Amino acid sequence: EKLLQLQRDIDELDERINDTDYALSHNRCGYVYVVSNDDMKDGQYKIGITRRTVEERMKELGSGASHSFPMNVHGYVYCDDCFQVEAALHKHFANQRVNQVNVKKEWFQTTLEDITQAFKTVCDIDIELTDCSNEMYLYSKDKVDI
């Protein structure tokens, strides 16, 4: 009976080790997203990551006073290592960084086509990006004739 109890204890520990290994190996999973904001100049895109849902991250980005309009989500992709993918893309677009002084600002002057191509060539990831504008911006533009 002691031997059976020891075996159960070993099996339980093995299961806990496997669960921990899985959690540790997947803590880099998340989404890499491409967004813009109608407050920014045309051709400026943010390439960022979130380990939560993209919707939650967009609410967070839109909750401050930094932008007058919600973010335009052009696309996103789930990655096993979102940190590595984001770093590779930021390195690729380093010369096109909008804020060259503060590298924590993840805005780049580029095109959706170039971003799509970079995902493929730099990271071997297919991503579909769509051009879009926020409905609130379009309504405001129509009313104020910006």
Side-chain angles (χ1 to χ4, degrees):
E1 192 164 334
K2 252 186 176 181
L3 189 57
L4 286 174
Q5 182 58 45
L6 284 174
Q7 187 59 51
R8 282 192 293 263
D9 291 345
I10 289 171
D11 290 344
E12 183 182 334
L13 287 172
D14 281 343
E15 187 174 332
R16 289 170 72 186
I17 288 170
N18 287 338
D19 290 346
T20 301
D21 283 345
Y22 180 84
L24 289 173
S25 67
H26 289 80
N27 69 352
R28 299 184 65 80
C29 295
Y31 295 94
V32 179
Y33 59 81
V34 178
V35 299
S36 67
N37 195 286
D38 294 305
D39 281 346
M40 305 290 285
K41 290 183 181 178
D42 285 341
Q44 293 185 353
Y45 298 94
K46 177 178 174 59
I47 302 170
I49 59 170
T50 185
R51 295 184 54 219
R52 295 168 285 144
T53 67
V54 174
E55 291 79 15
E56 287 174 311
R57 179 66 177 132
M58 293 308 106
K59 286 179 188 173
E60 183 179 87
L61 287 174
S63 66
S66 300
H67 298 285
S68 300
F69 302 101
M71 293 292 173
N72 303 317
V73 179
H74 299 284
Y76 54 90
V77 63
Y78 186 79
C79 303
D80 289 336
D81 190 340
C82 61
F83 298 100
Q84 179 182 18
V85 171
E86 180 194 44
L89 291 168
H90 286 187
K91 183 178 179 183
H92 178 80
F93 289 112
N95 291 333
Q96 293 158 274
R97 186 178 291 276
V98 173
N99 188 334
Q100 292 287 328
V101 177
N102 185 352
V103 295
K104 293 186 181 204
K105 301 296 181 182
E106 303 168 326
W107 290 88
F108 302 89
Q109 184 71 44
T110 186
T111 65
L112 291 175
E113 294 79 20
D114 285 347
I115 296 171
T116 301
Q117 187 63 35
F119 265 91
K120 185 64 177 170
T121 58
V122 175
C123 305
D124 196 28
I125 294 173
D126 292 316
I127 187 170
E128 186 175 326
L129 301 176
T130 57
D131 196 9
C132 58
S133 282
N134 180 274
E135 287 180 23
M136 288 172 55
Y137 169 75
L138 294 174
Y139 176 81
S140 298
K141 181 179 176 187
D142 185 47
K143 294 297 180 194
V144 180
D145 198 34
I146 298 174

